[in-house]
Amino acid sequence: MADKISIFSQNCQGLANPQKRRSVFRHIRLKKYNIICLQDVHIQKLQESYIKSEWGYNIYFSCFNNSSRGVMVLLNNNFEHEVERVYSDINGNYIILDINIEGKKFTLVSLYGPNDDKPNFYKEIRQKYNAFQNDKIIICGDWNLVINPDLDTNNYLHINNPRARQEVLNMINEEDFVDIYRELNGDKREYTWSRRNPVRKQARLDFFLVNDDCFPYTSEAKIIPGYRSDHSGILLELVLNTNERGRGYWKFNNSLLKDQQYVNVVKNTISEVKQTYQINNEENNIDNQEEFSINDQLFLETLLLMIRGNTIKYSSQKKKQRQEQENKLEHDIKQIEEEVNANFLNMPDDVLDELENKKSLLNEIQKEKIEGVMLRSRSRYADLGEKPTRYFFNLEKRNFTSKVIHKLVNEEGEEVSDTSDVLKCQTNFYKSLYSEVETDNSISIQTVLGDNEIKLSDEESQELEGELTHSELAYALRNMKNNKSPGLDGFTVEFFKFFWIDVGQFILRSLNYGYRTGSLSITQKQGIITCIPKPNKPRINLKKLEAYIFIECYI
């Protein structure tokens, strides 16, 4: 099993000449690249079988003619892989592979961008690779445009292919792609193409885009000297045996609150937990409060834990049932359509009605699915169609994938990429950042506040002390924003508002127990610090805080 997978890409300026082609193939073999993407190969379709024999391993073509265009993807035999699907552009400008690399599936696009300004070219590619329905996408090649004219061009008077460039920027923003070279190399100025006459110009026209699902696997992206071409080569390295990212934190699905069966599950869970820990001691119960065999903090922790477990169980069962229903409907529709297509004119009306009914049911299931994804992604866009498109599924994951930090510089200035080392680096940084430091005690609070010093009256001070009341908690809950999870248990504000009459008293008792004992519960004291990287900023150095927008804290 290969530790790293290397993907090499280059505009080779024609390989129709047999001598040049064999020379390029030998060069590639010596480099031992795993995947080779070549553009502008000038190969005719009738030459494909002959060139495959020259290479000796698998090659996939998008041919045009022997004087222009053409794209090839060559696969070496030095890594485990299986190509499951291929789409080849008839105009010789791009090819798309659905490739399984050592157990992980990728969609790989190798393209040769038009020299003129054709935004529809990139719209077409976007449509084609989305049809593959893969999470991990890599696009490479000679784009004939640049992402950042300020960093990626030298001595250009105008932006090359501006409308096509804008379409690529739209693709990057809407589908969570990153320019991996810029992400890993910061503001470094390097170019993949140059021209001396009549005016010297340089540009980084060749680059890789990877989506955020693919980003954690990338270890290196660089520009390397080209071979028999005026374009440099570009190289991307993937580390596939990296530790997988965890599933993240569970969050309650608010749509369950509309499900009466689920509501009954929660209410029954509350009754069962109360019965388990309740003590029958009515004589000494002055406040008419239920007494439990465990303290109020532990009771609330146990109650929410049981509700969460039953919620996950209920949601999983419901999801499985919906999936089975969807699969059956798709199977039935396919069978009926085959019958209709074979004998449409003589098909009874009731069969056609059944077909329409099943299609309607299937559309409702798919609509419910995409609404759930949109809810979790907080997307407000509802005009991209009713089916669960990959766009919305990407939005759902955006909040997680955009925060991935797979490599950091530690205190010694060394780059670390192992998951445990990255976590240790983060822990040390924030432990130091939030540690106690000496301050200038000579500055009094009066100096800071000046004439604006405000003091509470004795009565106001007394009101702020003491235990919380049920009305105070209810007021605070009513004023909390919806679609937020106030704690690490994942339950939303909407959940607590809906079940307040059932769980409000136990939350109040838990908080007041903490007031009396001087300590909150373990989960109430836990928190998360989440770094939010700024767009187009390297994520490698925590000390360079300008790379981060803000820090989210949940405590």
Side-chain angles (χ1 to χ4, degrees), residues 304-318:
L304 293 179
L305 182 64
M306 293 299 295
I307 294 175
R308 177 181 174 181
N310 288 338
T311 300
I312 294 173
K313 181 180 178 180
Y314 179 85
S315 299
S316 299
Q317 291 173 345
K318 189 173 181 180

Side-chain angles (χ1 to χ4, degrees), residues 428-441:
N428 292 339
F429 174 80
Y430 287 106
K431 184 177 180 180
S432 174
L433 182 65
Y434 293 118
S435 61
E436 184 179 354
V437 295
E438 293 185 6
T439 58
D440 188 354
N441 294 326

Side-chain angles (χ1 to χ4, degrees), residues 329-368:
L329 283 170
E330 289 177 344
H331 178 266
D332 293 346
I333 289 170
K334 183 178 180 180
Q335 280 193 328
I336 297 174
E337 284 182 336
E338 289 177 354
E339 295 177 11
V340 171
N341 292 336
N343 194 20
F344 179 73
L345 294 178
N346 298 320
M347 189 61 59
D349 289 340
D350 59 338
V351 176
L352 297 175
D353 291 340
E354 182 185 5
L355 177 61
E356 292 303 317
N357 289 335
K358 288 184 179 294
K359 285 184 176 180
S360 178
L361 286 173
L362 181 60
N363 287 335
E364 286 299 317
I365 292 175
Q366 293 174 333
K367 183 179 179 180
E368 182 182 351

